Amino acid sequence: MNNKYQEELNLAVRVAVEAGKFIRDKIYRHKVAETKSCLSDLVTEVDRQVETYIVQLIQQHFPGHAVVGEEQQGNCTGEPGGAMTWYVDPLDGTTNFVFGLPFCAVSIALANHDVPVLGVVHDPFREETFTAVRGGGAQINGSPISADSSIATLERSLLVTGYPGNIAKRPRMHLVNYKQVIDRCNNLRALGSAALELAYVASGRLTGFWEVSLRPWDVAAGMVLVEEAGGAVSDLAGQPLQLTEYVDIAASNGLIHKELLECLEWPGDRSNRE
Ligand code: IPD
Ligand code: CA
Ligand code: CA
């Protein structure tokens, strides 16, 4: 039993569940969406209220820690990148939320020098809380989970991807050979919440995931979940994933990882298709 980060884990679970109740309560009520970088990049008052709530509680309990929240638009508290930096996505899947599609999550991670060490992804609609602390395995509502070890080939895999909310980043999707993937896997989904999709890879409901141009708060919690569930996480070139400003990620049960990465590539093209 790994008791490291136990206090941080307890707090993250508590605030994620509370925040989730608020999100669940608001989804079918009138909510006004505003746009951020473009018409398809949505934000609501709920995103901001939930983030304020989570960030305040973290600051109250851990005043020395840095907190990076999506809606603060880069104005983080404390010095990010240090031994205790939180990454908070108060509502991952805002577009689903705005359209009344109940597939979204609260995502909270703690990173040590930009290596995520704790991840909590909470789905308020199914009351499922996915948790992991580095070295301590991954759980759903307290019970162990693992990535699907029964599938070792792409043709048997159920994959998932996502499309950047920021339209200016969408051309980067073509870094990846979608046609080749669709022709070679069992099938491909796009569910609209990167954090929850990673949690589903960690719990064996999906075999693999990739997306380009995500942000650190989209992936930090899910990364720990997948790795602690026995899966693999990398960038699209198979290198260790860095929490840089924009993140291109591939995650899988581990067994299909190499085949997935090869399949994402355009034949004979190892260059960046910016
Ligand atoms: C979005 C979701 C979505 C992904 C987008 C993200 P948000 O996050 O994770 O699945 O495809 O790229 O921006 O904006 O709903 O927090
Ligand atoms: Ca997000
Ligand atoms: Ca969000």
Side-chain angles (χ1 to χ4, degrees), residues 4-260:
K4 212 172 171 203
Y5 302 115
Q6 192 59 50
E7 265 184 70
E8 288 84 355
L9 179 64
N10 292 345
L11 180 77
V13 169
R14 183 154 66 82
V15 296
V17 170
E18 278 309 308
K21 286 182 194 158
F22 186 72
I23 292 169
R24 196 174 57 207
D25 187 50
K26 293 282 188 231
I27 192 167
Y28 302 120
R29 300 183 187 210
H30 177 70
K31 52 207 177 278
V32 180
E34 297 164 37
T35 57
K36 293 198 276 190
S37 60
C38 59
L39 278 181
S40 58
D41 191 5
L42 304 177
V43 65
T44 69
E45 224 12 72
V46 175
D47 297 69
R48 297 200 182 99
Q49 285 168 353
V50 169
E51 180 164 311
T52 303
Y53 165 75
I54 296 172
V55 172
Q56 277 175 358
L57 279 216
I58 294 174
Q59 284 171 335
Q60 249 171 42
H61 285 78
F62 304 109
H65 295 188
V67 189
V68 182
E70 174 175 14
E71 307 308 338
Q72 291 168 308
Q73 289 158 9
N75 303 319
C76 3
T77 64
E79 272 300 309
M84 293 290 192
T85 302
W86 295 82
Y87 286 94
V88 176
D89 191 336
L91 204 181
D92 186 59
T94 296
T95 304
N96 284 350
F97 176 79
V98 168
F99 281 80
L101 190 60
F103 193 87
C104 36
V106 180
S107 178
I108 302 178
L110 178 64
N112 181 348
H113 296 288
D114 277 340
V115 177
V117 290
L118 176 161
V120 172
V121 173
H122 175 66
D123 172 353
F125 300 101
R126 290 157 200 80
E127 298 194 348
E128 290 183 327
T129 310
F130 300 86
T131 54
V133 169
R134 199 160 291 284
Q139 296 80 32
I140 179 172
N141 295 346
S143 301
I145 49 171
S146 55
D148 187 350
S149 59
S150 71
I151 292 181
T153 58
L154 210 55
E155 64 178 350
R156 295 190 55 221
S157 295
L158 185 59
L159 303 178
V160 66
T161 188
Y163 320 118
N166 178 341
I167 220 159
K169 301 284 173 197
R170 284 199 189 145
R172 295 198 74 247
M173 282 165 51
H174 302 298
L175 286 171
V176 161
N177 191 338
Y178 275 72
K179 177 178 175 346
Q180 184 164 249
V181 179
I182 290 165
D183 287 349
R184 281 181 51 189
C185 67
N186 173 305
N187 221 322
L188 176 65
R189 305 283 184 253
L191 303 175
S193 165
L196 212 40
E197 288 163 332
L198 284 163
Y200 277 25
V201 172
S203 52
R205 294 173 185 175
L206 294 164
T207 332
F209 166 72
W210 86 86
E211 189 166 346
V212 300
S213 297
L214 284 171
R215 309 301 301 271
W217 44 80
D218 295 315
V219 298
M223 269 173 83
V224 196
L225 290 170
V226 172
E227 287 171 350
E228 285 302 315
V233 177
S234 71
D235 67 15
L236 298 190
Q239 296 303 310
L241 195 71
Q242 310 290 332
L243 288 187
T244 42
E245 189 182 2
Y246 287 96
V247 180
D248 298 345
I249 183 174
S252 74
N253 66 350
L255 301 174
I256 64 152
H257 207 76
K258 189 166 171 281
E259 202 189 351
L260 173 63

